[in-house]
Amino acid sequence: MARVLYRSLVVAAAVVLLAAPAPARAALPTLAVGATTSAADTVGSGNTCAGFLDERTHLGNLGIRRVFASAGQLPPADAINCHNNHGAVLWYSFKTSCTPAGVAAGWCDSEIQNIALAMPAGSYLTYNHEPENDMTGVQFVAAFQRVYTVAKAANPGVTVVPIYMSYQWRPGSSKVTNNGTGGSNEIQDWIVPAAYADAYGLDLYWQASTRGSEPDDPVSIGLDPRMTRWYNAFAGLGEPLTLPEWGIIDDQGVQASRGPAIRASRTWLTGHNFHIISYWQLDNWYLDAATDPDGVAAYQELVAAATP
């Protein structure tokens, strides 16, 4: 009987949450540009405000800083202080201690509430970025809708954004299908409804050695079949779009300039409703003035064009 009562209370709570008035939405900037600066970019790792500020000396006045958590941890004080004191706007990507089904059922509401309440005004929040490897589209949408409702009720000032994984949006992917056979991974199964998303994001990576010769490594991001497949699914939903992770790997010692790709992609992105761009500034993706001065200059131009 106690278990039946508990389940009834969970269902009742879900009905109340989902019936709440539409939460307030913050307007995204015309263009904001940032970078992620640590391979182990998690709570307690070497991803520090000091490291982010150091990257500003290389790439310009970066405005967006990604920080990640794996199991419902609160955003660290270093990230909040960096947001409040240095204008490094926090974009926090978190997972919970619950399964996606548990999140959808409300079992991790307290974790979500606590994270949302700790987020500073004007910050960004993402549940389970790049979910395609971890669950089905149906599971993700149900969980994300719950996260959005709980987070916005706790903190209307936070912008809540689902982020997808470009690799699984490649044509022929078994994780994001479009064959009309049903199931739970069709393109429409992955789309969080606009009522539960303040914007949409896609993470995308290339290689420098094949850029311009391979379908997934074009000079302009607008020619990448993974981007165009994702863009065609989300562009008509009426919400801003974002590129929260973008990297062009300087693989195999090629040291090819990434400047032309950054400039061509900037033209396409800013013309297609993308409001946030954030480069993966580490490891072989690193834009280094000593080896790729034109790539650095191109990203500096992008940063300089950003609007607060």
Side-chain angles (χ1 to χ4, degrees), residues 227-250:
M227 170 58 82
T228 54
R229 191 169 184 246
W230 181 86
Y231 176 82
N232 288 338
F234 289 88
L237 300 180
E239 298 297 334
L241 306 178
T242 68
L243 186 64
E245 289 181 32
W246 180 30
I248 306 173
I249 191 169
D250 191 9

Side-chain angles (χ1 to χ4, degrees), residues 10-21 146 149:
V10 168
V11 171
V15 170
V16 170
L17 281 168
L18 296 176
R146 182 73 184 194
T149 303

Side-chain angles (χ1 to χ4, degrees), residues 229-301:
R229 191 169 184 246
W230 181 86
Y231 176 82
N232 288 338
F234 289 88
L237 300 180
E239 298 297 334
L241 306 178
T242 68
L243 186 64
E245 289 181 32
W246 180 30
I248 306 173
I249 191 169
D250 191 9
D251 62 320
Q252 302 174 10
V254 173
Q255 307 298 346
S257 172
R258 287 158 281 187
I262 292 171
R263 293 186 180 98
S265 297
R266 168 188 167 187
T267 298
W268 188 87
L269 289 164
T270 55
H272 287 79
N273 198 32
F274 280 79
H275 291 238
I276 294 175
I277 301 167
S278 187
Y279 194 81
W280 193 255
Q281 181 67 348
L282 53 98
D283 297 334
N284 288 336
W285 291 273
Y286 195 85
L287 292 168
D288 184 353
T291 58
D292 187 2
D294 187 53
V296 171
Y299 205 75
Q300 288 172 340
E301 294 162 13

Side-chain angles (χ1 to χ4, degrees), residues 141-153:
V141 169
F144 199 92
Q145 288 183 143
R146 182 73 184 194
V147 169
Y148 183 90
T149 303
V150 172
K152 296 291 276 193

Side-chain angles (χ1 to χ4, degrees), residues 33-42 45 47 55 59 62 64-68 91 93 129-130 163 203-206 243-250 258 262 277-288 299 302:
V33 181
T36 301
T37 57
S38 170
D41 198 6
T42 58
S45 78
N47 176 43
E55 284 307 317
L59 296 181
L62 300 166
I64 303 288
R65 178 176 173 231
R66 296 288 301 280
V67 177
F68 300 19
W91 191 324
S93 291
H129 81 290
E130 300 185 4
I163 299 176
D203 291 348
L204 188 147
Y205 292 87
W206 300 338
L243 186 64
E245 289 181 32
W246 180 30
I248 306 173
I249 191 169
D250 191 9
R258 287 158 281 187
I262 292 171
I277 301 167
S278 187
Y279 194 81
W280 193 255
Q281 181 67 348
L282 53 98
D283 297 334
N284 288 336
W285 291 273
Y286 195 85
L287 292 168
D288 184 353
Y299 205 75
L302 178 56

